[in-house]
Amino acid sequence: IDQYPTYPWNDKYISSNPNISSNYILNNGKKRNWSMAQVSSNKGITERDIYKNILPFEYLNLSSNPNLPAKYVYDNLNYNWNMYEVSSNSNITLVDVESFHAIPWDYWALSINKNININYVLNHSHNLWSIQLLLTNSAITLVDIYNNFEYFNTVENKEKYMCSNPNIT
């Protein structure tokens, strides 16, 4: 970008480029018209960047940033988070869900979180899980489905969802 400054770069799309860092935005890219929605969800924005809070993040979009730590959400519950995106975020673990009870977790979204396991789901079956989404979750295996057939059998057309599970070969 710096080497070819006359090229008609599109700042909105540059904002989602994973090679863009907060350091670049604050230094070399000061004159660019950054899309903070795109920057906020950009995986080039690190956990350190998020904690330093040196950019004007859009928290609805930051919710899907793969480097978003649950502790940051917990410490900033007053921000306008997208709890579906936070809960399904691949950076969120079961330890986070267990540790940060004040976070209003979206169990529908946790159903597709790759860090969920069948034991946790069954031990917390009172929560509003999406059985359809659990059937598509790569963390749920065919053995899990088979061994817990009664739990999954409550879903109509379960085979349709199972076919989307990447564990099925």
Side-chain angles (χ1 to χ4, degrees):
I1 295 169
D2 292 340
Q3 188 175 356
Y4 301 99
T6 59
Y7 188 81
W9 298 105
N10 183 312
D11 290 344
K12 178 181 179 184
Y13 296 110
I14 291 173
S15 298
S16 9
N17 185 309
N19 295 314
I20 297 298
S21 66
S22 62
N23 186 44
Y24 182 82
I25 293 169
L26 294 169
N27 294 308
N28 300 40
K30 284 181 185 176
K31 294 180 181 174
R32 301 212 79 83
N33 186 22
W34 297 103
S35 165
M36 289 316 297
Q38 302 294 329
V39 168
S40 297
S41 60
N42 186 331
K43 70 180 182 180
I45 300 302
T46 66
E47 182 176 326
R48 184 170 179 245
D49 295 330
I50 294 168
Y51 271 110
K52 285 172 42 181
N53 209 12
I54 54 178
L55 296 172
F57 293 122
E58 291 190 14
Y59 293 94
L60 285 173
N61 296 79
L62 188 64
S63 301
S64 63
N65 185 299
N67 298 310
L68 177 68
K71 174 99 171 78
Y72 186 82
V73 176
Y74 176 77
D75 290 341
N76 297 285
L77 286 173
N78 58 318
Y79 291 168
N80 191 22
W81 297 106
N82 177 330
M83 289 314 300
Y84 186 92
E85 292 294 334
V86 170
S87 299
S88 62
N89 192 313
S90 61
N91 202 39
I92 301 301
T93 66
L94 286 177
V95 172
D96 295 328
V97 176
E98 286 292 305
S99 299
F100 301 110
H101 294 286
I103 294 176
W105 299 108
D106 181 330
Y107 284 85
W108 192 272
L110 278 171
S111 299
I112 58 171
N113 185 306
K114 68 178 184 172
N115 297 309
I116 294 299
N117 63 52
I118 192 64
N119 293 329
Y120 186 84
V121 170
L122 296 174
N123 288 333
H124 297 86
S125 60
H126 60 279
N127 292 322
L128 297 175
W129 298 100
S130 166
I131 297 174
Q132 294 93 334
L133 292 177
L134 286 167
L135 286 166
T136 68
N137 188 328
S138 64
I140 305 297
T141 66
L142 187 56
V143 172
D144 293 333
I145 296 167
Y146 181 79
N147 289 340
N148 298 284
F149 188 75
E150 288 183 21
Y151 181 78
F152 290 105
N153 200 33
T154 60
V155 175
E156 199 173 308
N157 299 318
K158 70 185 152 305
E159 297 81 8
K160 174 174 76 173
Y161 301 101
M162 286 173 51
C163 289
S164 298
N165 189 313
N167 292 311
I168 309 297
T169 61

